[in-house]
Structures are given as structure tokens and as C-alpha cells.
């Protein structure tokens, strides 16, 4: 039995959904794209064209929601299903769109460059705890116009894992789908076996911008999975109450899914988000706050009530270095997300309110994720009786190590952490240099990068990808793509 | 009696009670209290108090914002009265404020605007995603003392430099001071681009703006 956290009572869930449907009518949803307003109006919504406000009656939204797939898979570049969006399956991927990295040599936060992103991709590729890649960093030396697709380009070259990504412009959404299609064997094949999910963000409170609406429509039509990242900011851009923010999240997701399904019924879409409370002293948005994780767990439960695939932003910290706060916030929220049964949990590796990625932290977070995944396996019944038979021949001695069963089952029962986690004696620890977690992570990261094997990609397709991206890079003013 | 009135005024700001502040402002007019005295000896003391608490970490953003809203409500009533009387509240200076083009982050910028305005500045808040030329042009036509420009993204922060260059281009760099702020902005950055002022938070921004006026010799 998979242990579960269900943070909302069975009375609260219908109340949240009911209030969200009421929000869709009053005050309504601001939809800033004409095409989306028109399609909502055609479906029976009332549109105040001048204010760009749409009132979506419950029956209109419910009808659209009926066609949302309750599960789908993401495939790796070998065509194998490796991520299951649906049910209570839990996956993790690194945080995305960081602009800085924590440089482990200088311990400074500095703008990310190509080399840093490649390191992150290789690390996530090598660790089994990460089921998917993200387009983790915005490379500062790359022109903004191609910043989004350039990230995907690097992921495709260095990993076969599926990818959680997103575009910065409507034009680039299409280019990025083409890039994925090169390896999938065309756009149709990509729709059959999608290798990526695209994040799409509403703007709190209750706004679908032109770009957001357009992305929903384009992704639906293309048949490529979309992932709504609704970000109620409790107390500033959303009600201060956690439940109030969950209601807003529900309304933003339902309205987004309605726009999406009206464009093409049956296209895959995920009930996701990156909400946060507002720190009322500093005006910041703590991702490591327990209340942030509570909103996540609650909205996931609401999404599950509808039967939708879910996503959230957890396993991140607001600390600036990889210290106790970083560990506490990342592992606590990772565990809450896992127990909430969230299908894709993004955020590992991140510090400083998602602005900064630390590859060393990504490696340490993998241990927190390993433990969370162990937790999800729950208390397993391996033997019947549970214990009695194992006392045969024991004769009051601590000799269970000699039992065949012990040898058979210890790997099933225990998550075996990497050397990043110190479980040695004090003597061993001293002999090994009396290191802390971060220092051990630095060493292990070096080993990992040294043994990393690049994926065996078909050269023809790599050449096609490089041609496409270098052409766009030239248009953006880059003579040539960085060498690596 | 008047003393009690002043302390009630300050308290209404500390409590963030806009309606109470507005009521007290009206009462003070009926009682014949000079509107300027009501502001400077009553309400402003409340703002200062909350500001000090916030700087020490003993007050939080909702308290700061509500104090600002209450102050605005009171000042609104009192300024209307001053206009009737043919007098005017002397503002410390005028500031053109906005979030830089390409950036739609509103919260911090608006908070700074509230604090500057309750702190005695005339504030022209141009909103978010404001083109550099719009900022500069507004500052020129209003003969503003300061341009305060916010950026929440490292990608948009770089344009803060353009504001300074634009002022240079039209020969107003010495006349108009530039303050920068926003999450990625640091003192080093402010110095690097040649900005005149930088503050870590909204309360600090008021002090910085006051210093800039002193530097201008006002």
C-alpha cells in the first residue's frame, strides 16, 4: 500500500471546486487572447469584450473537462514509456529556468552558461532518482530570442530522458516541437509517443495572458502535452488563506483546461503549479515553506478528484548555500509531494527562490528523493508469517545476518544511499577527511561526470538538429553555436 | 484635546484603519486643526512608527501596506481641504516611478510608491513594462527630482543602465537622480551602472530618496 497524504477533508474538496466554479462566473477570468475568448463564447461562455473578461458557466467548463485524458506517458529517446502521468505515480525532475548557478569553487552565485547546463543534464541523466530532465538553466551568453530552444537543444544532445520544458514565445513553441520531432520520427510519431511536456502559466490572479492562452491552444492542436503551472501567491496575488489560494488555483486550472480542450478535445494536459506563500517580512516567495507545500498537496488532491495528472514545484530551497536549511526545506517538501502522490515534482537542485541551481545540491536531493520513493513503497509484506519463521535456529543470538532471507530481502527493504549520506563511524568519517555533505557531493559529482556516457544518438538526426538550431542562432546574431 | 486627536491619528495609521483615519481627518477639519499639522503631527508619526517596526523586523508587509493605505485615505481628505483653503502641502520632491520595460512585476514597485508617497513625495507611478523613453520623458515634463526604476529579472535589470544613458543623452543626468531596486539588484550593480541610489526594501527607499534630495541641494 502506497502511503498517502490527503490534506483536505472530504467535505472541503467539493467546496473548493464549487467556489472555483463560482469564480469562473464572478469575477470571471481575464482572457487576453481574442481567439480564446471567441472559442469560449462559442462554447456558451459570456464575454465582456472590452474588459477581456469571460464568464464561464460550470456546465461549459465541466463539458470541456470531460475530455481531459486521465493519464498519459512520456517516452525516452529509445521509445520506452518512462514517465507515467496519472494515478498516484510519483516522478521527480530538476528545477527549471534558473538564471544563476552556485559555483562550488568560489561559492558565489553567478549567471549560468552552457557548460553549467550541460553539467546539470549529465547529472540528472546519471541519477535514477530523476525520471525526467528539465530545461534547468537559462544560459546567459545565449541570445534571449533562442534561450528557450537552446536549452532543449542541449538536453536532446546529452540525455535520452523525457523532458519537462517550456517556451518563451509562441514562435519557439513550434520550433521546439519540431526539434523533438526530429528524434521522434516526425510530428505524428511525437504525438503518439511524446517525449516532452510544455509548461504554460496563467498570471495570478485569474488571468490567461495572450501568450499563455496561445500556448494552450497551440499545444492542444499539436497534441503535445501541456502542463499548467498556476502560481497563486498567497496574500499578494491570491487570497492569504491557504484554502483561498487553492480555490484560485482550481479556477485558473479549470479555465486553462477549458481553453485547451476547446482547441482540441482529448489533448493531454496536466493539473500543475508553482504556488507559494508570500514572506511577509521580505516580500519573497519561499518555495521551502511548509505552507507552500501544503497548498501543493491540497491542489493535487483537488486535481485527483477530477482524475487529472498532477505536477508541482517542490524539493527546492530558499537558502543561498547547500546547508541545513537547504536540506530541511528540500527533503520536507519532496516527502510531502511524494506522499500527496503528485505525478511530476520539479524543483530539485534549486536554491534562492528557484533563481539558482546547484548541481551538488541536485546530487544530494537525489538522496532525499530516494528516501521519499522508499517511503512510497510502504511497509511491504514479504513473508507470512511476518516474523516467526525467522527465529528458527537463532537461539537468542543476533545472527539474522546469516539468514538467507536477510541477504535476499535487505535491498528490497532498505534504500541504499550513495556515499553522499554519511552513515559511517566517527573514525571512518575522520579518516575520509571529516567532510560535510556538500564536500562529499563535490567529490561524487566529479566521479559521476567522469563516468558519464553520452547517449548514442543517430548522427543524421543530430546533424539535422544542429542545422536547425545553428540557423536560428545565426538569425539571433550568433556566428556559431558554442563548442562542447 | 488636539494632542489626543494627534495620537488617535497616529494610532489609526498604526492599526491600518483607513476608515478611522479618514474619519479623524474629517473631524480635525471640523475642529479647525490646520491640515498640515494634522499630517505632520498626527498621521506621519504613525507611518514613521510602522516604518521603524518594519525595519527592525517587528512589523510585516500587510501592516506596512495597510498603514500606507490609511495614510493615503487621510491625506486625500486633508489635501482636498487644503485646496479649498488655497494652501498646499509642500512635498519633499517628485519622483517618477515604474517597472522597467519587458518586466511586469508590480508588487515591490507599488509598495515603494506607497512608501514614498506617504513619506512626503509626489509620486508619478507609471506602472509596469514602462519604456525607458516614457520614464525619462515624464521626468522631464514634470521636472521630477528622481526617477525610481524597478526590475525583478536579471534579464530586464540590464535596462536600468539605459535609463541613465537616456538621461545623459538629453542632458538631464545632473538634474535628475536615478534610484534602482528589485530582487536581483545589488549595491554593486547600482554602482556599476552609475545609479545614484539603491535600497534593499521599500522603507529604505524613502531614506535614500531623502538623501538624494540633500545631495541635490534641496
Amino acid at each position: 500500500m502506497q502511503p498517502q497524504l490527503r490534506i483536505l477533508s472530504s467535505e472541503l474538496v467539493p467546496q473548493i471546486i464549487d467556489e472555483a466554479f463560482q469564480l469562473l462566473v464572478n469575477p470571471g477570468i481575464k482572457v487576453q487572447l481574442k481567439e480564446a475568448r471567441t472559442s469560449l463564447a462559442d462554447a456558451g461562455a459570456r464575454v465582456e469584450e472590452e474588459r477581456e473578461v469571460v464568464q464561464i458557466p460550470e456546465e461549459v467548463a465541466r463539458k470541456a473537462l470531460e475530455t481531459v485524458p486521465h493519464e498519459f506517458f512520456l517516452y525516452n529517446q529509445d521509445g520506452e514509456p518512462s514517465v507515467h502521468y496519472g494515478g498516484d505515480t510519483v516522478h521527480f525532475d530538476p528545477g527549471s529556468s534558473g538564471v544563476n548557478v552556485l559555483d562550488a569553487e568560489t561559492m558565489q552565485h553567478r549567471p549560468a552558461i552552457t557548460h553549467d547546463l550541460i553539467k546539470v543534464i549529465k547529472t540528472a541523466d546519471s541519477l535514477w532518482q530523476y525520471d525526467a530532465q528539465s530545461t534547468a538553466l537559462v544560459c546567459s551568453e545565449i541570445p534571449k530570442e533562442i534561450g528557450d530552444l537552446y536549452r532543449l537543444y542541449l538536453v536532446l544532445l546529452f540525455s535520452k530522458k523525457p523532458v519537462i520544458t517550456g517556451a518563451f514565445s509562441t514562435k519557439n513553441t513550434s520550433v521546439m516541437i519540431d526539434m523533438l520531432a526530429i528524434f521522434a520520427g516526425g510530428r505524428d510519431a511525437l504525438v503518439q509517443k511524446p517525449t516532452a511536456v510544455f509548461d504554460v502559466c496563467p498570471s495570478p490572479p485569474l488571468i490567461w495572458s495572450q501568450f499563455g492562452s496561445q500556448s494552450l491552444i497551440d499545444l492542444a492542436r499539436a497534441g503535445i502535452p501541456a502542463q499548467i503551472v498556476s502560481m497563486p501567491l498567497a496574500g499578494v496575488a491570491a487570497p492569504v488563506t491557504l484554502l483561498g489560494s487553492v480555490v484560485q488555483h482550481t479556477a485558473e486550472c479549470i479555465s486553462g483546461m477549458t481553453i485547451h480542450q476547446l482547441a482540441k478535445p482529448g489533448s493531454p494536459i496536466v493539473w500543475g503549479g508553482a504556488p507559494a506563500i508570500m514572506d511577509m517580512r521580505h516580500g519573497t516567495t519561499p518555495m521551502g515553506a511548509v505552507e507552500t507545500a501544503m497548498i501543493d498537496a491540497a491542489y493535487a488532491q483537488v486535481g485527483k478528484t477530477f482524475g487529472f495528472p498532477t505536477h508541482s514545484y517542490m524539493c527546492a530551497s530558499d537558502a543561498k548555500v547547500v546547508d541545513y536549511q537547504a536540506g530541511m526545506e528540500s527533503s520536507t517538501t519532496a516527502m510531502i509531494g511524494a506522499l500527496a502522490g503528485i505525478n511530476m515534482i520539479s524543483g530539485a537542485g534549486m536554491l534562492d527562490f528557484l533563481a539558482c541551481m546547484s548541481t551538488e545540491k541536485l546530487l544530494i536531493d537525489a538522496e532525499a528523493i530516494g528516501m521519499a520513493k522508499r517511503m512510497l513503497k510502504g511497509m511491504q509484506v514479504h513473508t507470512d508469517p511476518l516474523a516467526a519463521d525467522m527465529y528458527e535456529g537463532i537461539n537468542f543470538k543476533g545472527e539474522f545476518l546469516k539468514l538467507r532471507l536477510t541477504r535476499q530481502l535487505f535491498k528490497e527493504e532498505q534504500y541504499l544511499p550513495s556515499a553522499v549520506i554519511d552513515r559511517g563511524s566517527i573514525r571512518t568519517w575522520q579518516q575520509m577527511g571529516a567532510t560535510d555533505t556538500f564536500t562529499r557531493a563535490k567529490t561524487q559529482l566529479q566521479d559521476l561526470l567522469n563516468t558519464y556516457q553520452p547517449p548514442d544518438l543517430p548522427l543524421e538526426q543530430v546533424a539535422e538538429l544542429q542545422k536547425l538550431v545553428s540557423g536560428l542562432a545565426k538569425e539571433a546574431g550568433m556566428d556559431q553555436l558554442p563548442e562542447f | 484635546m488636539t494632542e489626543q486627536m494627534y495620537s488617535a491619528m497616529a494610532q489609526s495609521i498604526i492599526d491600518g484603519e483607513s476608515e478611522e483615519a479618514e474619519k479623524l481627518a474629517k473631524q480635525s477639519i471640523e475642529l479647525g486643526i490646520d491640515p498640515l499639522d494634522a499630517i505632520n503631527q498626527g498621521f506621519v508619526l504613525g507611518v514613521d512608527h510602522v516604518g521603524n517596526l518594519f525595519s527592525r523586523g517587528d512589523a510585516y508587509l500587510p501592516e506596512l501596506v495597510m498603514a500606507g493605505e490609511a495614510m493615503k485615505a487621510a491625506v486625500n481628505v486633508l489635501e482636498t481641504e487644503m485646496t479649498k483653503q488655497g494652501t498646499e502641502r509642500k512635498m519633499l520632491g517628485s519622483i517618477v516611478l515604474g517597472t522597467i520595460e519587458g518586466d511586469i512585476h508590480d508588487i515591490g514597485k507599488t509598495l515603494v510608491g506607497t512608501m514614498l508617497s506617504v513619506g512626503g513625495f509626489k509620486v508619478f507611478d507609471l506602472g509596469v513594462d514602462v519604456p525607458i523613453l516614457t520614464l525619462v520623458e515624464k521626468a522631464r515634463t514634470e521636472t521630477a527630482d528622481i526617477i525610481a526604476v524597478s526590475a525583478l529579472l536579471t534579464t530586464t535589470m540590464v535596462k536600468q543602465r539605459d535609463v541613465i544613458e537616456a538621461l545623459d543623452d538629453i542632458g538631464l543626468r545632473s538634474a535628475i537622480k536615478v534610484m534602482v531596486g528589485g530582487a536581483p539588484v545589488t549595491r554593486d550593480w547600482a554602482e556599476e551602472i552609475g545609479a545614484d541610489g539603491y535600497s534593499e526594501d521599500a522603507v529604505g527607499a524613502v531614506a535614500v530618496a531623502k538623501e538624494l534630495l540633500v545631495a541635490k541641494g534641496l
Side-chain angles (χ1 to χ4, degrees):
Chain A
M1 189 197 69
Q2 181 172 328
Q4 279 185 344
L5 170 69
R6 292 293 183 257
I7 198 167
L8 299 168
S9 70
S10 53
E11 293 81 36
L12 272 175
V13 176
Q15 189 180 347
I16 289 166
I17 294 171
D18 185 52
E19 284 198 30
F21 277 120
Q22 289 178 39
L23 285 187
L24 296 192
V25 177
N26 182 21
I29 302 290
K30 191 168 203 160
V31 180
Q32 297 178 305
L33 181 74
K34 169 100 180 147
E35 184 188 354
R37 289 198 298 276
T38 307
S39 105
L40 285 163
D42 291 346
R46 236 188 64 190
V47 176
E48 276 183 71
E49 197 53 38
E50 208 155 284
R51 289 175 61 223
E52 302 180 325
V53 172
V54 182
Q55 296 174 325
I56 310 172
E58 179 170 343
E59 58 274 19
V60 172
R62 282 215 185 257
K63 185 152 183 278
L65 295 184
E66 271 173 23
T67 53
V68 173
H70 287 192
E71 64 170 352
F72 65 89
F73 287 89
L74 291 184
Y75 294 78
N76 63 23
Q77 299 295 4
D78 291 324
E80 299 154 349
S82 52
V83 165
H84 174 231
Y85 268 101
D88 284 333
T89 314
V90 173
H91 301 284
F92 285 83
D93 73 307
S96 65
S97 298
V99 288
N100 293 325
V101 289
L102 173 64
D103 189 316
E105 297 312 313
T106 62
M107 291 310 281
Q108 300 292 312
H109 291 211
R110 60 160 175 80
I113 52 171
T114 297
H115 167 74
D116 300 310
L117 179 52
I118 292 174
K119 212 163 81 171
V120 170
I121 297 167
K122 287 178 176 177
T123 305
D125 188 69
S126 306
L127 294 167
W128 68 270
Q129 289 92 338
Y130 298 109
D131 300 296
Q133 291 279 355
S134 70
T135 36
L137 288 164
V138 180
C139 301
S140 59
E141 84 278 32
I142 301 299
K144 228 171 64 180
E145 298 86 338
I146 60 163
D148 48 2
L149 64 92
Y150 180 77
R151 303 181 302 167
L152 181 63
Y153 164 69
L154 293 185
V155 172
L156 289 173
L157 290 182
F158 287 94
S159 179
K160 286 190 167 185
K161 290 186 180 181
V163 52
I164 314 302
T165 188
F168 301 159
S169 70
T170 306
K171 176 176 162 263
N172 285 4
T173 306
S174 180
V175 175
M176 289 166 75
I177 294 173
D178 285 336
M179 289 165 63
L180 293 161
I182 290 174
F183 291 99
R187 276 206 177 209
D188 288 343
L190 181 66
V191 172
Q192 292 306 312
K193 290 188 170 186
T195 51
V197 155
F198 282 74
D199 287 341
V200 185
C201 308
S203 315
L206 305 174
I207 301 169
W208 278 100
S209 67
Q210 286 210 9
F211 173 53
S213 315
Q214 190 69 59
S215 301
L216 285 171
I217 291 172
D218 291 350
L219 289 165
R221 291 202 178 123
I224 303 302
Q227 182 159 278
I228 297 183
V229 183
S230 160
M231 304 170 281
L233 183 49
V236 177
V240 69
T241 56
L242 306 187
L243 283 168
S245 284
V246 176
V247 171
Q248 181 173 313
H249 178 278
T250 306
E252 289 180 357
C253 280
I254 290 178
S255 53
M257 282 184 160
T258 303
I259 295 169
H260 180 264
Q261 292 297 302
L262 287 173
K264 190 176 171 198
S267 263
I269 186 161
V270 181
W271 183 274
I277 57 162
M278 170 69 115
D279 180 278
M280 291 300 185
R281 187 168 282 153
H282 301 104
T284 50
T285 55
M287 300 308 293
V290 73
E291 299 86 353
T292 294
M294 289 165 75
I295 299 174
D296 289 322
Y299 82 64
Q301 192 180 339
V302 174
K304 283 170 183 294
T305 307
F306 287 102
F308 299 146
T310 51
H311 156 272
S312 76
Y313 236 97
M314 304 167 102
C315 198
S317 172
D318 310 312
K320 313 302 179 280
V321 291
V322 184
D323 58 2
Y324 179 76
Q325 182 186 338
M328 174 183 71
E329 293 178 340
S330 303
S331 56
T332 304
T333 57
M335 188 65 84
I336 292 173
L339 291 174
I342 296 170
N343 299 144
M344 183 59 73
I345 301 173
S346 308
M350 301 307 285
L351 297 165
D352 187 22
F353 315 99
L354 306 178
C356 180
M357 166 66 79
S358 158
T359 318
E360 286 76 13
K361 178 177 183 290
L362 188 65
L363 197 129
I364 302 167
D365 286 342
E367 296 305 319
I369 293 166
M371 291 183 197
K373 287 190 170 184
R374 170 62 192 93
M375 179 80 176
L376 289 183
K377 278 167 70 185
M379 301 297 283
Q380 293 181 311
V381 179
H382 290 289
T383 59
D384 181 22
L386 300 173
D389 287 355
M390 283 181 260
Y391 290 88
E392 209 164 303
I394 287 292
N395 199 18
F396 301 100
K397 291 188 203 133
E399 295 192 339
F400 291 84
L401 271 177
K402 292 181 182 168
L403 293 188
R404 180 170 288 142
L405 256 185
T406 304
R407 182 161 177 273
Q408 265 172 19
L409 290 177
F410 82 96
K411 284 187 185 170
E412 295 284 317
E413 283 296 86
Q414 300 185 0
Y415 166 66
L416 304 173
S418 78
V420 161
I421 301 296
D422 172 29
R423 289 185 183 166
S425 70
I426 178 88
R427 269 92 46 202
T428 314
W429 176 73
Q430 283 162 343
Q431 280 162 16
M432 299 295 285
T435 55
D436 63 2
T437 322
F438 189 73
T439 311
R440 291 192 294 276
K442 274 169 74 172
T443 310
Q444 193 165 317
L445 184 62
Q446 267 324 311
D447 294 348
L448 181 151
L449 294 172
N450 289 340
T451 54
Y452 161 86
Q453 293 291 329
D456 51 330
L457 300 168
L459 292 177
E460 201 178 310
Q461 292 167 6
V462 171
E464 193 182 340
L465 178 71
Q466 275 169 339
K467 194 174 147 218
L468 173 66
V469 176
S470 62
L472 293 162
K474 279 210 180 72
E475 278 175 34
M478 279 183 96
D479 290 339
Q480 60 180 46
L481 291 168
E483 300 264 343
F484 34 74
Chain B
M1 179 65 195
T2 312
E3 282 309 311
Q4 263 177 355
M5 190 78 182
Y6 287 153
S7 99
M9 285 170 167
Q11 193 61 44
S12 71
I13 302 298
I14 294 166
D15 295 339
E17 294 288 349
S18 292
E19 284 169 21
E20 178 69 11
E22 198 177 322
K23 200 177 85 190
L24 288 168
K26 284 177 183 158
Q27 275 176 15
S28 74
I29 295 168
E30 283 161 20
L31 290 172
I33 297 174
D34 183 340
L36 268 179
D37 290 342
I39 293 176
N40 294 330
Q41 296 182 47
F43 294 113
V44 162
L45 301 187
V47 170
D48 288 348
H49 182 75
V50 177
N52 287 336
L53 286 181
F54 184 81
S55 301
R56 290 209 311 260
D58 291 332
Y60 293 83
L61 284 172
E63 289 146 343
L64 192 62
V65 170
M66 294 304 280
E69 291 302 309
M71 183 70 186
K72 276 190 199 164
V75 167
N76 196 21
V77 170
L78 295 168
E79 280 187 339
T80 311
E81 177 62 20
M82 280 187 266
T83 314
K84 269 190 216 158
Q85 295 179 2
T87 57
E88 207 180 327
R89 181 182 177 202
K90 192 178 170 331
M91 306 306 283
L92 295 174
S94 62
I95 300 182
V96 170
L97 172 72
T99 303
I100 200 88
E101 67 181 70
D103 197 326
I104 56 162
H105 290 89
D106 196 26
I107 297 162
K109 181 269 304 164
T110 305
L111 185 62
V112 169
T114 302
M115 288 302 115
L116 287 170
S117 130
V118 303
F121 287 88
K122 184 161 187 56
V123 177
F124 301 94
D125 186 343
L126 304 188
V128 298
D129 191 12
V130 186
I132 284 140
L133 283 181
T134 310
L135 279 171
V136 172
E137 189 52 28
K138 183 73 178 173
R140 191 182 64 78
T141 53
E142 299 290 346
T143 56
D145 302 298
I146 296 171
I147 292 178
V149 61
S150 166
L152 253 287
L153 306 171
T154 45
T155 48
T156 54
M157 179 178 84
V158 292
K159 292 189 195 149
Q160 290 179 330
R161 189 197 298 269
D162 299 349
V163 175
I164 293 163
E165 285 172 1
L167 284 175
D168 252 335
D169 290 347
I170 59 170
L172 284 178
R173 183 64 190 97
S174 56
I176 300 173
K177 300 285 179 188
V178 177
M179 288 168 66
V180 292
V185 178
T186 59
R187 191 172 300 281
D188 287 347
W189 169 249
E191 276 171 22
E192 184 189 326
I193 64 173
D196 305 292
Y198 154 81
S199 165
E200 174 64 25
D201 61 38
V203 172
V206 181
V208 171
K210 286 179 180 168
E211 283 165 21
L212 291 185
L213 292 189
V214 174
K216 277 185 79 175
L218 288 171

